[in-house]
Amino acid sequence: GTYQAASSDAASLFFEGFISLESNMLHEGLKYVSRETTGQKERFMHEDLLKRHLELVIEANKTTNITRISSWEDGMVLHVQDSLLGLDALNACPEGRYADIGTGAGYPGIPLAIETGRPTLLVDSVQKKVQILDGFIEELGLDNVSTYAGRIEDLGREQAGQFAAISARALSKLSVLLELSSPLLKIGGRLICFKALVERDELDHARVVGKQVGMELVDDQTYELDDYSRRILCYEKVAKPKLKLPRRTGLAQKKPL
């Protein structure tokens, strides 16, 4: 289906838009719809953490390239609001650990960790980015979030079947993501793919690879967010892979299934 992210009938927490901008970025106004079970105090705490995270990202980006987005306004839409579009998909996953692979500046991992409280692992192969993320986590006081500096294949060998949910945002082709995530997920666990345009060939190839690695498409939603569309596809691990995974590091991209 297709949803307007800012609509008042959104099922989960989505932003309704900006209030007038103020000079201090910590006081930038945001309205959003909260889940009925979320109390007002908790809602405001979450909002403060989401804004503080973005402020830290913008500050860190002045000296280290961790994101191409450098303005507060773009960051709120293209990082924070975009990340929260995956909230329903994450809530639909089984209970358990969640990993955000190729996390970069911590999107969508940190916003989703803030909103769900799930034990969350931020995964990135660039050590310098992970060190920055560790600073974010400490500054934000996120006891449920930790980091992993290394390749996804290595994590798959070290922590096979340990995750109930994995997210990947603008990281790679669907078929590659399916191969990389399958060893990490327990049976019933889900991969949440944040994509922009997805061509039919990519979807068809993912369907073929999915059968090899035990993954099946279970949800496909498109959201309109300002001037662009975000497509979120969810794959569930329904069976053990038919081949030994993970393959040698780098083969998923160099020699795709």
Side-chain angles (χ1 to χ4, degrees), residues 153 156-157 160 178-184 209 212-215 237 240-248 252 257:
E153 295 94 332
R157 282 182 275 270
L178 290 172
E179 177 181 347
L180 292 174
S181 63
S182 179
L184 288 165
V209 171
Q212 294 179 268
V213 301
M215 302 285 288
K237 186 172 182 180
K240 292 181 179 180
K242 295 180 180 179
L243 69 162
K244 183 175 174 58
L245 293 177
R247 292 191 290 160
R248 188 157 47 88
L257 294 174

Side-chain angles (χ1 to χ4, degrees), residues 151-154 157 246-254:
R151 297 296 296 262
I152 300 166
E153 295 94 332
D154 291 332
R157 282 182 275 270
R247 292 191 290 160
R248 188 157 47 88
T249 299
L251 280 186
Q253 289 91 347
K254 294 175 184 175

